[in-house]
Amino acid sequence: MKNTIIIIGSGFSSLAASCYLAKAGYKVTILEKNKTIGGRARQLKKDGFTFDIGPTWYWMPDVFERFFSDFNKKPSDYYTLDKLSPAYSVYFGKDDVITIEDSLEKICATFESVEAGSSTLLRKFINNAKENYDIAIKDLVYNPGVSPLELVSLTTMKKLNQFFSNVKSDVRKAFSNDKLAKILEFPVLFLGAKPSNTPSFYNFMNYADFGLGTFHPKKGMYQVILAMEQLAHELGVTIKTDAPVEKISIEKGNIAHSVVSNKTVYNADIVLSGADYHHTETLLDKNYRQYSESYWNRKTFAPSALLFYVGFNKKIKNVEHHTLFFDVDFDVHAHAIYDRATWPEEPLFYASFPSKTDSSTAPTDKEAGIFLIPLAPGLEDSKELRDAYFSKIIRRLEELTSQKVTDSILFRESFGVNDFIKDYNSYKGNAYGMANTLLQTAFLRPKLKSKKVKNLYFTGQLTVPGPGVPPSLISGKLVSELITKHHPIVNN
């Protein structure tokens, strides 16, 4: 049988692809460079605390359901999902907090209390977002980005103008209150670009937020990785950790015949990489690389991040499971990320306190805190900078929530640009892949199938459909469909 597939990396997209390919009858082996699987979605355990190192938001539950249903399974076969109530809160200043509840009705009431008449506008806005969501998630994003014709249909043609306007302008036309506008602009940050550079069509993220809600898998997002690992094993996938790939070897006819890891040669009929796209191409001789260094340098990358994982010896007050701190100027911070590539003087930041709703993540009467500052990729990263920025955000946390927490810190771990590079071979240390701007959407993104190596494929955040956990699951499905199309099972 000429059906051996080697997959590089074990993030969401790689695990998804491995399941589809194993189900189709291929012999699949995953090689993961780190000690544990999951890619960016690994887990940190320390002194009775548990932290998700990477993604902490569970949005678009229908995408997860669709993935597991492809194997006649349900998420509930593997993990327990709770809908967060409230979904999150947003600090705009001391004693100035807007809480986003767990239903559109409640959110409309909140908007109305802030700005009279805004609930009517919000319903209209979310109805449009739902239309876009139905088009995008049920149709568009399940295309492989091979041709611009994938975007052409009767429904998309009616929405054509939304690809040439942007989320920020649409939000600001409808909502005059700056705080409400910022809340509506927030979800597209998951797509890796400024609201002013994100096509209006992507307001479907607002439906994901307000229409579907925010969920939490008990014991953390890593439970989804463990579920996918279990499914992969059930389907016959082999997973090897501590197995960094050093070389993809090409033979005559531009065919990848093997990969090298820890001086061991793994023969392959097909090679699929869910590792960083740019890094994967450096494993090839130059003449087999599709994209030049100048190509990557020209692209708009999603931010990197500085993260802190903090154990507190007491419960933290006046915060929710997810809490956003928008008490400084978003545009100034965004300018530092996307235009100047510098450290922001006063950063916005996000905090997750999973132990607010999940007792498994911290010892009794203690709190687990995850803090994230979005940053430009490629920045200088040092202990001194990390210490300074931790002090900035903890000071703000104390001021805004009216409590002292510094003396209650049991420990803190950090993860930044250098770690994204070291652990994930991430281009410039980006955290979320390539931004979904107009010129980096669908067929304009790096391709799932190599143009130079006949049996080399890619999946994940730098290719189709884009950044985020649900898109990564979809990416794994899309690439598996391409592989089964171009390399059908051969029986000797």
Side-chain angles (χ1 to χ4, degrees):
M1 293 183 68
K2 288 195 167 186
N3 306 305
T4 299
I5 299 179
I6 298 295
I7 299 180
I8 304 171
S10 65
F12 282 107
S13 58
S14 291
L15 288 170
S18 77
C19 291
Y20 286 112
L21 292 166
K23 180 186 176 186
Y26 297 87
K27 181 182 178 182
V28 182
T29 298
I30 292 175
L31 302 178
E32 166 58 50
K33 77 181 287 288
N34 291 307
K35 293 183 183 299
T36 57
I37 66 164
R40 285 164 166 78
R42 292 180 300 153
Q43 195 174 59
L44 168 66
K45 290 191 174 186
K46 182 170 181 175
D47 299 344
F49 292 83
T50 301
F51 306 90
D52 283 312
I53 291 177
T56 54
W57 293 79
Y58 192 108
W59 273 6
M60 304 183 187
D62 49 325
V63 175
F64 295 85
E65 289 163 9
R66 183 167 172 174
F67 168 75
F68 284 106
S69 72
D70 285 341
F71 304 91
N72 297 314
K73 302 285 187 179
K74 303 184 296 294
S76 59
D77 293 332
Y78 298 98
Y79 55 88
T80 301
L81 204 58
D82 292 326
K83 189 173 187 180
L84 294 183
S85 179
Y88 56 91
S89 61
V90 187
Y91 271 90
F92 292 98
K94 189 176 174 65
D95 303 320
D96 187 4
V97 186
I98 294 179
T99 298
I100 301 302
E101 298 289 349
D102 62 346
S103 73
L104 183 57
E105 287 300 315
K106 293 176 185 176
I107 297 167
C108 283
T110 298
F111 269 53
E112 193 67 25
S113 71
V114 175
E115 181 180 19
S118 63
S119 61
T120 302
L121 296 170
L122 180 61
R123 289 181 196 280
K124 182 179 178 182
F125 190 86
I126 296 300
N127 282 340
N128 177 262
K130 183 181 186 304
E131 288 179 10
N132 290 352
Y133 189 90
D134 288 341
I135 294 168
I137 303 304
K138 295 177 182 177
D139 185 11
L140 282 187
V141 298
Y142 283 92
N143 286 314
V146 173
S147 164
L149 295 178
E150 293 170 359
L151 300 178
V152 179
S153 68
L154 288 175
T155 51
T156 56
M157 291 309 290
K158 292 176 183 177
K159 298 282 187 178
L160 189 61
N161 65 312
Q162 293 191 28
F163 286 93
F164 297 97
S165 57
N166 65 71
V167 167
K168 182 168 185 172
S169 66
D170 286 4
V171 168
R172 298 287 168 166
K173 283 176 190 172
F175 298 89
S176 58
N177 183 277
D178 184 60
K179 289 182 283 190
L180 298 183
K182 282 191 169 85
I183 290 171
L184 286 167
E185 291 167 357
F186 149 68
V188 301
L189 297 178
F190 284 104
L191 301 174
K194 292 189 290 187
S196 58
N197 286 342
T198 302
S200 299
F201 183 77
Y202 285 108
N203 71 8
F204 66 72
M205 293 295 292
N206 292 111
Y207 177 71
D209 182 1
F210 289 1
L212 296 176
T214 303
F215 295 79
H216 173 73
K218 280 189 177 176
K219 299 185 180 179
M221 285 290 288
Y222 197 65
Q223 294 305 303
V224 186
I225 290 291
L226 295 178
M228 296 176 75
E229 177 191 34
Q230 183 179 336
L231 177 60
H233 283 316
E234 290 168 359
L235 293 164
V237 176
T238 298
I239 301 175
K240 297 180 181 291
T241 55
D242 284 316
V245 171
E246 296 121 22
K247 178 76 175 174
I248 300 173
S249 301
I250 310 298
E251 64 183 6
K252 287 182 180 179
N254 296 353
I255 296 172
H257 65 84
S258 64
V259 303
V260 180
S261 173
N262 294 328
K263 299 182 180 179
T264 299
V265 176
Y266 293 84
N267 293 321
D269 300 305
I270 300 157
V271 176
L272 167 60
S273 180
D276 179 271
Y277 204 125
H278 169 270
H279 168 73
T280 301
E281 290 220 311
T282 68
L283 303 177
L284 298 162
D285 291 337
K286 279 191 176 181
N287 55 311
Y288 296 115
R289 299 173 191 174
Q290 305 169 90
Y291 305 108
S292 65
E293 287 297 319
S294 62
Y295 168 90
W296 294 110
N297 200 45
R298 289 194 308 270
K299 294 301 172 182
T300 300
F301 273 79
S304 184
L306 174 56
L307 294 121
F308 297 100
Y309 313 99
V310 185
F312 295 95
N313 68 6
K314 68 175 184 180
K315 287 296 184 184
I316 307 301
K317 299 182 296 183
N318 304 325
V319 292
E320 303 295 345
H321 184 124
H322 296 302
T323 307
L324 305 169
F325 292 86
F326 284 6
D327 54 305
V328 298
D329 192 317
F330 170 79
D331 289 334
V332 172
H333 187 160
H335 184 60
I337 295 175
Y338 294 101
D339 304 321
R340 296 176 56 222
T342 59
W343 282 82
E345 289 187 21
E346 287 296 335
L348 286 81
F349 66 98
Y350 151 70
S352 174
F353 300 94
S355 44
K356 287 289 174 191
T357 57
D358 187 345
S359 60
S360 72
T361 59
T364 304
D365 297 325
K366 294 180 173 60
E367 202 87 89
I370 302 168
F371 298 85
L372 182 152
I373 302 171
L375 297 171
L379 292 183
E380 175 194 0
D381 181 12
S382 67
K383 180 182 183 303
E384 291 73 22
L385 282 164
R386 295 187 187 195
D387 290 347
Y389 276 79
F390 184 74
S391 296
K392 281 177 185 279
I393 63 173
I394 288 297
R395 170 182 54 80
R396 296 237 307 278
L397 173 72
E398 290 181 329
E399 290 175 358
L400 293 166
T401 63
S402 303
Q403 64 190 312
K404 290 290 184 184
V405 301
T406 304
D407 293 343
S408 300
I409 294 173
L410 295 170
F411 64 83
R412 85 164 187 258
E413 302 285 343
S414 64
F415 197 96
V417 171
N418 291 346
D419 300 296
F420 282 103
I421 295 170
K422 177 176 67 72
D423 286 4
Y424 312 130
N425 295 309
S426 172
Y427 181 72
K428 293 186 177 180
N430 79 82
Y432 307 110
M434 189 181 288
N436 263 339
T437 60
L438 177 62
L439 296 179
Q440 296 182 173
T441 291
F443 66 95
L444 296 172
R445 298 181 70 79
K447 302 302 182 186
L448 290 166
K449 185 179 189 303
S450 172
K451 294 176 287 188
K452 292 192 174 183
V453 180
K454 292 178 181 177
N455 59 337
L456 175 61
Y457 293 80
F458 301 84
T459 187
Q461 298 189 117
L462 289 182
T463 183
V464 180
V469 176
S472 291
L473 295 180
I474 295 167
S475 186
K477 179 176 178 128
L478 294 177
V479 77
S480 68
E481 290 173 345
L482 278 185
I483 289 171
T484 55
K485 176 183 176 181
H486 292 290
H487 307 272
I489 292 286
V490 176
N491 292 305
N492 287 341

